[in-house]
Amino acid sequence: MRTLIIDGNFFGQRVLRALPDITFKVYPDEEKKEFLKACCNHLTNYLEQNKGIIENVVIVKDSRSWRRQVPIIRPNTTTPECDYKANRDERMEEEVVDMRIFFETLEEFFKTLHEKFNVPYTCIYGAEGDDAIWAWTKMLKGLNRHSMIYCTDSDMNQLVNSHTIIHRQVKTKEAQTGGEVIVDKTYWEDKNSIKEIDIFSDNTCFWGAEEELIGGRQLGKQIFIANPFWNVFKKMFTGDGKDNVPSAHIWNRIVKTTGATQTCKLTENMVEKAIEGVLVGPWETCEDFLYDTELHRDILICIAKMKGLDIDIEKSLAVVQNNRKLLYLNHKEIDENVVKDLVTNIKPQLDKYAQVSKLRSSTHILNAFGLSSVTYFENF
């Protein structure tokens, strides 16, 4: 049995995307009720569908990130700026949905679950949801307890281990129903049967992928073996546009067909090819590689030679190592005060068990919010 760790922001956004008519602007009171009702139904349905594996539920939620105070080194600027996720701030201003009401309503939902159903809840100022998930999985593993993360963010792959799996409940080309289950090789090899893995599909077909070199590799229609640290490792070089994390090197080129100037960045394929040129034989990304400065330098030199790029190796190396702080979930990188606050919040909740059986009942959960199954306004 596992503790389900729900990424609260993802949960809320997933429910909101299923309700395209809700903006919290036209009929805000009625729309809040409809959103809360949808949150209740989604949680109830998920727990009922997976009742054979979930023994506890934990919810974590973003607060303002400590990473926003980290000066980000960029290859094309001389002065580092604290602009982590600044691009998201700009996008929020363009949102059709009133995000203030959205987050307030989501907070109300989680706090009610915490107060009325004993659901452990972690929302710490300075900590992102990723930080809280890292802390929960680490502390649960220390007690030899297993967890399952509910999210789709590939950055979470670094947390997968013998005790932790991820359920990406999304429809993909490989997984048409039920979603993808992300497990690591250790987890797979330690299992004597496929019973516990085969929990989201009746027809999972397995095949060997042990020799795959880099990245997550499909083991079956809905089961993936993750190379947990690959995503962090390659993003240290390529950056992550969605979070405003820079590429270690950028340059401009002229598009022959249009004459326009295009800004180019390092790509995952470049990093893979460079690794093949630097390391001999099969390998898997390990945590040690994240701190191997000479390996990072060799990769940058190899990319420069392969692509004929004029890379300032030392400056790009500084970007790579600074990016690690933004990407890697570990006590070495996460702000120490945030780590202390997370431990303080989580430790007394480790023996707290949510009333999962009641959460699987739509009647119980709707009543807790004073809601019914009816729609609260016409033409919704």
Side-chain angles (χ1 to χ4, degrees):
M1 298 291 281
R2 294 182 178 274
T3 294
L4 176 69
I5 304 174
I6 295 176
D7 179 336
N9 278 39
F10 165 66
F11 179 95
Q13 293 283 358
R14 181 177 173 82
V15 172
L16 186 63
R17 284 197 297 271
L19 302 170
D21 292 329
I22 282 187
T23 64
F24 301 109
K25 292 180 179 180
V26 184
Y27 306 103
D29 292 339
E30 290 82 359
E31 289 175 278
K32 282 177 64 176
K33 292 177 182 177
E34 207 61 39
F35 177 71
L36 284 170
K37 185 181 75 173
C39 287
C40 292
N41 289 334
H42 181 59
L43 179 61
T44 294
N45 292 338
Y46 185 87
L47 293 176
E48 180 62 27
Q49 290 167 7
N50 302 296
K51 62 183 177 182
I53 194 170
I54 297 170
E55 67 173 354
N56 196 13
V57 178
V58 168
I59 295 173
V60 306
K61 183 173 171 291
D62 279 344
S63 184
R64 186 167 181 82
S65 175
W66 62 271
R67 293 174 181 83
R68 289 180 178 262
Q69 306 303 315
V70 176
I72 297 181
I73 301 171
R74 298 184 182 277
N76 59 332
T77 59
T78 55
T79 305
E81 296 182 15
C82 300
D83 54 359
Y84 175 73
K85 290 190 176 179
N87 51 338
R88 294 197 183 188
D89 294 337
E90 294 171 2
R91 289 201 300 270
M92 276 192 65
E93 292 177 2
E94 301 169 359
E95 284 281 0
V96 174
V97 174
D98 187 323
M99 298 305 289
R100 181 186 61 81
I101 296 179
F102 164 72
F103 284 118
E104 286 176 355
T105 309
L106 192 60
E107 181 80 1
E108 177 188 343
F109 177 68
F110 295 149
K111 284 187 173 180
T112 301
L113 294 182
H114 176 67
E115 294 165 3
K116 297 193 175 184
F117 295 94
N118 209 40
V119 175
Y121 179 47
T122 298
C123 182
I124 300 296
Y125 183 80
E128 291 186 65
D130 294 5
D131 301 319
I133 294 172
W134 163 77
W136 267 102
T137 58
K138 185 175 178 63
M139 294 175 76
L140 286 170
K141 185 181 179 185
L143 297 172
N144 197 29
R145 286 161 59 182
H146 294 76
S147 57
M148 179 167 71
I149 304 170
Y150 174 88
C151 73
T152 57
D153 190 348
S154 59
D155 290 343
M156 291 291 96
N157 285 3
Q158 61 184 291
L159 301 182
V160 169
N161 54 49
S162 59
H163 284 63
T164 305
I165 65 176
I166 297 173
H167 183 204
R168 300 182 68 241
Q169 198 195 25
V170 291
K171 181 178 179 180
T172 67
K173 181 179 178 181
E174 292 80 10
Q176 294 294 312
T177 60
E180 299 171 347
V181 181
I182 314 295
V183 302
D184 81 335
K185 192 171 291 188
T186 304
Y187 175 88
W188 169 251
E189 290 172 348
D190 284 349
K191 291 297 171 185
N192 296 317
S193 72
I194 64 171
K195 274 187 178 179
E196 192 174 353
I197 299 178
D198 190 21
I199 55 176
F200 301 113
S201 171
D202 297 326
N203 302 299
T204 303
C205 179
F206 294 91
W207 58 282
E210 285 75 19
E211 300 305 316
E212 185 61 20
L213 184 57
I214 294 172
R217 179 60 174 174
Q218 181 181 348
L219 183 63
K221 269 193 176 261
Q222 294 175 294
I223 309 297
F224 285 69
I225 284 186
N227 189 341
F229 300 104
W230 167 247
N231 204 52
V232 176
F233 186 80
K234 61 102 171 176
K235 282 187 177 182
M236 285 166 58
F237 293 86
T238 65
D240 186 350
K242 68 179 175 60
D243 290 341
N244 214 27
V245 177
S247 170
H249 179 67
I250 62 173
W251 67 100
N252 293 325
R253 75 178 186 93
I254 303 299
V255 180
K256 291 181 179 178
T257 55
T258 64
T261 300
Q262 180 183 51
T263 300
C264 303
K265 303 177 181 180
L266 300 185
T267 66
E268 180 174 356
N269 182 258
M270 292 178 191
V271 179
E272 289 185 16
K273 294 295 183 184
I275 289 170
E276 292 171 2
V278 171
L279 297 177
V280 178
W283 69 285
E284 292 181 12
T285 316
C286 66
E287 286 183 271
D288 291 343
F289 286 166
L290 302 180
Y291 288 91
D292 191 335
T293 302
E294 290 308 310
L295 174 61
H296 303 164
R297 181 180 284 108
D298 289 344
I299 288 172
L300 290 168
I301 292 171
C302 190
I303 292 174
K305 289 179 179 178
M306 284 191 309
K307 296 296 180 179
L309 299 174
D310 182 18
I311 297 179
D312 183 331
I313 300 299
E314 295 308 312
K315 185 166 186 177
S316 291
L317 188 61
V319 175
V320 168
Q321 295 178 342
N322 195 66
N323 283 353
R324 181 182 59 218
K325 188 164 192 67
L326 302 171
L327 297 163
Y328 183 34
L329 297 172
N330 186 277
H331 67 277
K332 297 178 184 177
E333 305 297 348
I334 299 174
D335 181 271
E336 63 178 350
N337 290 321
V338 169
V339 173
K340 289 177 183 177
D341 289 344
L342 285 168
V343 171
T344 299
N345 171 273
I346 293 170
K347 196 171 182 179
Q349 298 194 85
L350 286 169
D351 293 323
K352 187 174 184 177
Y353 281 77
Q355 299 170 8
V356 178
S357 60
K358 288 186 177 180
L359 290 173
R360 291 203 302 265
S361 164
S362 59
T363 301
H364 272 108
I365 194 168
L366 286 170
N367 284 345
F369 288 89
L371 301 172
S372 70
S373 59
V374 302
T375 298
Y376 286 89
F377 54 97
E378 294 181 6
N379 300 322
F380 177 76

